[in-house]
Amino acid sequence: MSEDFFSAVDFRRMLQGDSLGGDPVSGFTPLGGLLAPPTDRFTEWARANDAPTGQTAQDASSSAQQATTTAEAKPCATCDKNGAYSLAFRVTDTKDDGETCSAGSICAGMYYTIKMEQSGLVFQGTTDENGLTERYFTSSSSETVYLYLGHRTEDDGYPTSQDTDENKIDEAPLFNAPVAAIAEQKIVDALTKRQWKPWKASKKYKGVLNKSESPEPNQYPSPEGGNDTIGIGHKITDAEIASKRFTEGEWAQPLSNEKMEQLRDEDIAKNGGDEIERRVFVPLYYYEVDAMLDLSFNGGPGALKSDASSLYDENGTKNPPKTQVQNLSKLVNADRYSLVPNYLKNHFNTSNKVWSAGVQNRRDMDARMFANEENGYTFLATHSSKKKK
């Protein structure tokens, strides 16, 4: 997974002549510091995807998806199979090789939703090992089939175009296509701009942890009490004390930089990386992965799997019981990426169940990070005092 991946939002900005400037602290730019002018960069992408360079970014993305292929998709298990027309999709993610963006890995095991435009029928499914949806049937030769990431419901809506910022963020719909006679066994390739599993923490995010957790080669008393801390924010476990992990053998203190980074990566996996792999079944941008990892690293792996209410809003005002009860994994799996930043700002922003300015600043950073906004990887002390309960 490349930290230099850039989205359709960046393409639109390039086409409008906007600067993509970098993070003022990290020096990061969405284009990875490449020297090619934005127009050349877009032309390279368009050529790689056989897309006319005069199109908008969204049009170019659509052109890259329109190739059809012959493959075998399983018949829909829950629909009427007697129709004379059908359609299936094959979903691939975006591969960023640092020069061009093109179709990458197949999205096997991905949640998706199908809606038939004319009949209004809705189906949910999971792509097979080849990234294929099931085959859906209809008796109407003029039926159009819409494909969405995740398991959407009526409450989430089924937009027919990416005509709003919210729909663009959600990639909703991912694609649509007309059905064809069954004999054609039509399968349409659909490309998501996000990336499929396996995911990993970016170098940018690891740099944030290194800075925020202040690496210490020797153990020291944890500010919150309990067992000591060592390395990059690693809380020593009872098992590690019993095994003398940090007092004998290759892990004996003081830890080298290499050992501290290895320990950090263990914590990233334990505190969120493994949970994301197990619980998220839609593609993600690298910065979305990083934001979810940071929530888990700072708030614990339960932050991804628990139905959590908002105890306080982002400004420290106490909420009534059971306010905004949501589950982050379910929110993402429903293709509601656009709602996640607000979730991050208003959940897990407490210390001992009381709103904390420091924790809120961390959640605000996560929200900016998930949305790929300016200062997304920078901790800003926007809130500096604890609000009254």
Side-chain angles (χ1 to χ4, degrees):
M1 182 184 303
S2 169
E3 295 92 316
D4 298 336
F5 180 76
F6 52 104
S7 69
V9 175
D10 296 323
F11 280 131
R12 288 195 300 277
R13 291 170 61 195
M14 284 191 292
L15 292 170
Q16 294 165 357
D18 290 348
S19 169
L20 291 182
D23 186 307
V25 175
S26 68
F28 169 79
T29 65
L31 299 185
L34 293 175
L35 297 179
T39 52
D40 292 343
R41 178 73 164 154
F42 176 75
T43 301
E44 290 174 2
W45 183 91
R47 288 172 178 167
N49 290 279
D50 296 320
T53 57
Q55 293 180 308
T56 65
Q58 184 174 339
D59 291 338
S61 175
S62 296
S63 297
Q65 302 181 61
Q66 290 180 0
T68 59
T69 185
T70 301
E72 186 174 345
K74 298 177 182 177
C76 173
T78 58
C79 65
D80 185 353
K81 305 174 186 61
N82 294 322
Y85 304 91
S86 72
L87 181 69
F89 293 94
R90 179 172 56 197
V91 186
T92 56
D93 70 357
T94 297
K95 177 182 179 181
D96 179 16
D97 61 8
E99 294 295 333
T100 59
C101 290
S102 58
S105 305
I106 58 173
C107 297
M110 185 197 81
Y111 286 177
Y112 69 86
T113 299
I114 291 289
K115 183 171 183 180
M116 303 283 200
E117 183 178 43
Q118 294 182 0
S119 69
L121 293 174
V122 176
F123 305 94
Q124 293 181 346
T126 304
T127 56
D128 67 13
E129 66 276 9
N130 297 309
L132 291 169
T133 68
E134 292 182 326
R135 179 168 296 282
Y136 295 89
F137 301 85
T138 178
S139 59
S140 173
S141 62
S142 59
E143 182 67 272
T144 296
V145 182
Y146 285 83
L147 172 68
Y148 304 88
L149 297 172
H151 286 168
R152 279 189 163 243
T153 66
E154 194 70 37
D155 290 340
D156 301 314
Y158 306 103
T160 56
S161 68
Q162 295 183 24
D163 57 354
T164 67
D165 289 341
E166 180 179 301
N167 293 342
K168 289 183 179 74
I169 293 169
D170 293 340
E171 291 188 271
L174 180 64
F175 203 64
N176 70 81
V179 295
I182 288 181
E184 293 185 29
Q185 291 292 290
K186 183 177 180 181
I187 293 177
V188 176
D189 283 319
L191 172 68
T192 171
K193 301 180 186 74
R194 289 176 165 86
Q195 295 157 328
W196 188 236
K197 303 178 182 183
W199 298 301
K200 62 181 180 180
S202 72
K203 292 179 181 178
K204 279 174 63 66
Y205 175 60
K206 291 179 180 180
V208 168
L209 287 183
N210 290 357
K211 184 176 180 179
S212 64
E213 300 293 343
S214 300
E216 294 289 346
N218 295 290
Q219 68 185 78
Y220 59 93
S222 301
E224 70 278 8
N227 293 349
D228 285 355
T229 297
I230 193 171
I232 305 172
H234 176 79
K235 184 93 165 182
I236 300 174
T237 66
D238 291 341
E240 288 170 333
I241 293 174
S243 67
K244 300 181 179 180
R245 182 182 187 184
F246 299 114
T247 56
E248 297 179 0
E250 64 172 323
W251 285 89
Q253 305 171 56
L255 299 181
S256 65
N257 288 336
E258 180 181 3
K259 287 297 184 185
M260 286 192 287
E261 291 181 354
Q262 184 177 337
L263 189 60
R264 174 205 60 201
D265 292 348
E266 287 180 13
D267 287 340
I268 289 174
K270 180 180 68 175
N271 292 325
D274 294 342
E275 283 296 323
I276 293 178
E277 293 284 339
R278 282 194 293 264
R279 298 184 179 278
V280 175
F281 299 96
V282 291
L284 298 166
Y285 289 125
Y286 82 87
Y287 44 81
E288 293 172 338
V289 175
D290 287 347
M292 295 174 71
L293 284 173
D294 195 60
L295 173 64
S296 299
F297 191 92
N298 185 243
L304 290 176
K305 60 186 179 182
S306 303
D307 288 334
S309 63
S310 175
L311 300 180
Y312 294 82
D313 71 13
E314 60 186 289
N315 296 310
T317 302
K318 192 169 185 178
N319 288 322
K322 298 183 179 180
T323 296
Q324 296 185 26
V325 178
Q326 292 176 313
N327 180 298
L328 180 56
S329 294
K330 291 180 181 177
L331 196 62
V332 174
N333 284 333
D335 185 30
R336 300 316 309 274
Y337 304 97
S338 56
L339 302 181
V340 172
N342 184 67
Y343 175 95
L344 292 171
K345 290 178 183 178
N346 292 279
H347 291 76
F348 300 98
N349 54 0
T350 62
S351 177
N352 295 321
K353 297 186 178 181
V354 176
W355 185 83
S356 164
V359 178
Q360 183 65 60
N361 289 333
R362 186 78 173 252
R363 294 291 79 80
D364 289 351
M365 181 184 72
D366 293 342
R368 294 192 302 273
M369 189 184 299
F370 193 93
N372 196 29
E373 294 179 354
E374 185 178 1
N375 292 319
Y377 287 78
T378 304
F379 186 89
L380 302 176
T382 306
H383 301 278
S384 58
S385 62
K386 185 177 294 185
K387 304 290 183 180
K388 295 181 180 180
K389 292 188 284 184

